Amino acid sequence: EQARLGSSVVEEDTEEWQKDAGFAGLERVGGVDLSYIKGDETSACASLVVLSYPAMEVLYEDCRMVTVSAPYIAGFLAFREVPFLVEAVQRLQQEKPRLRPQVLLVDGNGLLHPRGFGVACHLGVLTDLPCIGVAKNLLQTDGLVRDELHKEQIRSLQKEGDTFPLTGTSGRARGMVSSSNSSRPLYISVGHRVCLETAVRLVKSCCRYRIPEPIRQVQTDTGELRK
C-alpha cells in the first residue's frame, strides 16, 4: 500500500504562492497531530488547527478523542494515525470549506522514512494537500544515524535558520536539518506537492519558538483536551 500510494507523491512546488519569495498568496497554514493519553495506547486526541499566514492567528480548531485500534509497527505509523487526520480534514471541508488550509505541517516525517513514505506523504496523497513533515528527532534510515558525525554537524549550526541536508547512502537528500530557537534542531522533509527548499523556508517562517506555530498550537490543543 505504501509503494502504491508512494508513486503519487509529488516532490515539487505545485502552487503559485510556493514560488514567491515572500509566499504571497498564502493565507492559511494548517497543523495536525495525534497524541496519546499517557499509559493508554488506544485513547488518543486527533487535532487539526488552521492559522492565518503570516500573522499565525487561529482561524479554526478541531480536537476529538478517538479510539485507535491498529497496532504500532515501526515504519507503518500512518496506518495507525492518518485515518483520523483525514477525517479531520474532511470535517473542515464540509463545515468551513473557506478555511481549508493551503498547506499542512505534520508532526512526523515525509520522505525521511525507510520506504520514502512517512505520515506527511501519506496524509498529503490522501487529502491532495501540500504537506510538510516536521520531526523533532532523526528517523534512522538510508544509513542516516545519530552518530558522532551527525552530532558534530548539529553543533556546527551557528545561528537560527542554519541548515544541512540529510543525504543518505543512496545519495538522495531525504530531508534537511534546521536549527531553530533552541540548540535542538528540526528534521524537515517533503510530504507532498512541495519541494524541500520551499518546505524549509515555510517552516522557518512559521517559527516563533522551536516548533513551528501550526504544530505548536495543535499540540497545545491536544494537551488541553487530554487533561
Side-chain angles (χ1 to χ4, degrees), residues 39-109:
D40 187 342
E41 291 298 312
T42 60
S43 297
C45 178
S47 186
L48 162 68
V49 300
V50 180
L51 306 185
S52 64
Y53 187 90
M56 296 289 121
E57 296 176 346
V58 176
L59 302 175
Y60 175 90
E61 299 173 280
D62 180 4
C63 307
R64 302 199 181 194
M65 294 303 300
V66 298
T67 300
V68 181
S69 58
Y72 171 75
I73 303 174
F76 297 96
L77 180 65
F79 293 97
R80 180 172 166 87
E81 298 188 350
V82 162
F84 302 106
L85 303 179
V86 170
E87 287 176 3
V89 173
Q90 290 173 339
R91 280 194 299 271
L92 168 59
Q93 181 65 33
Q94 293 168 0
E95 298 170 7
K96 298 284 182 68
R98 64 183 184 83
L99 295 180
R100 180 179 171 88
Q102 293 162 276
V103 59
L104 282 175
L105 271 57
V106 182
D107 182 25
N109 292 290

